[in-house]
Amino acid sequence: DTGVSQDPRHKITKRGQNVTFRCDPISEHNRLYWYRQTLGQGPEFLTYFQNEAQLEKSRLLSDRFSAERPKGSFSTLEIQRTEQGDSAMYLCASSLGPFNSPLHFGNGTRLTVT
Amino acid sequence: GENVEQHPSTLSVQEGDSAVIKCTYSDSASNYFPWYKQELGKGPQLIIDIRSNVGEKKDQRIAVTLNKTAKHFSLHITETQPEDSAVYFCAASNYGGSQGNLIFGKGTKLSVKP
């Protein structure tokens, strides 16, 4: 068990640019989650996948955000036309579904939009 | 939707003392309540969880209690050590229902003074 891996750890970008983050879940975990965490707050749910199917999306996930999980393995989260309000820690988590299984989080990607 | 409130926001204790963090939730359908510890620059790490069919759970120096009637749950840390210093988050979820994601509290920053 190597844990959930996220890349990059830090990303600084200028407003209006597109960014993409990658998450590699714990192998054999079929559920993958994306959360966003701003300073002094708890993580906020964005979306989750069961295998390759995206089953739920939060209202926080505007149309500038898109997530994919091809082949049910790693996942990517893309933010288009970044805004300063997108600055946050983006956390990925995985679990062994279907239900009542703990979420294991990665160490996140910290995005700073200047 | 679910709303989780957490108190206190900061807590300072002397090494060896006990620490208690309390959370309340709003959705009576919630049935899973994990606690996470987050150290600086890292993702949340699960430390203990409890399901709605159990009133109390203990793991060494950590215990969690759940009162379903009052809709609140608490984290108890005994014999605190400096390495317990971190931000602690409670969360709630209705696994098996329409929501498969965790709703987090805003966190408690615990400082253990040697």
Side-chain angles (χ1 to χ4, degrees), chain A residues 34-100:
Chain A
W34 285 98
Y35 281 77
R36 182 177 72 181
Q37 185 177 27
T38 53
L39 203 61
Q41 301 294 316
E44 295 175 294
F45 171 76
L46 292 178
T47 188
Y48 89 90
F49 294 82
Q50 179 158 306
N51 299 313
E52 66 276 9
Q54 189 172 16
L55 296 186
E56 190 172 344
K57 289 193 278 189
S58 161
R59 57 179 172 77
L60 294 176
L61 210 68
S62 76
D63 56 7
R64 296 185 297 106
F65 288 68
S66 63
E68 294 183 344
R69 193 183 182 196
K71 303 178 182 179
S73 54
F74 71 92
S75 176
T76 58
L77 178 67
E78 181 183 16
I79 308 174
Q80 296 182 328
R81 305 182 302 282
T82 52
E83 302 172 355
Q84 287 189 321
D86 297 332
S87 296
M89 174 79 85
Y90 290 85
L91 294 163
C92 177
S94 69
S95 71
L96 187 60
F99 299 116
N100 292 326

Side-chain angles (χ1 to χ4, degrees), chain A residues 1-10 20-27 29 31-34 69 73-77 89-95 104-110, chain B residues 43-44:
Chain A
D1 179 356
T2 57
V4 177
S5 177
Q6 292 189 246
D7 184 69
R9 289 298 313 278
H10 304 276
T20 299
F21 311 139
R22 176 180 171 123
C23 171
D24 286 272
I26 294 172
S27 58
H29 279 193
R31 286 201 160 195
L32 187 148
Y33 302 76
W34 285 98
R69 193 183 182 196
S73 54
F74 71 92
S75 176
T76 58
L77 178 67
M89 174 79 85
Y90 290 85
L91 294 163
C92 177
S94 69
S95 71
H104 298 266
F105 282 87
N107 286 328
T109 293
R110 179 164 295 283

Side-chain angles (χ1 to χ4, degrees), chain B residues 48-51 53-58 63-66 76:
Chain B
I48 196 168
D49 58 10
I50 192 167
R51 306 186 193 284
N53 58 346
V54 175
E56 184 174 355
K57 183 177 179 181
K58 190 174 181 180
V64 58
T65 58
L66 171 65
H76 304 253

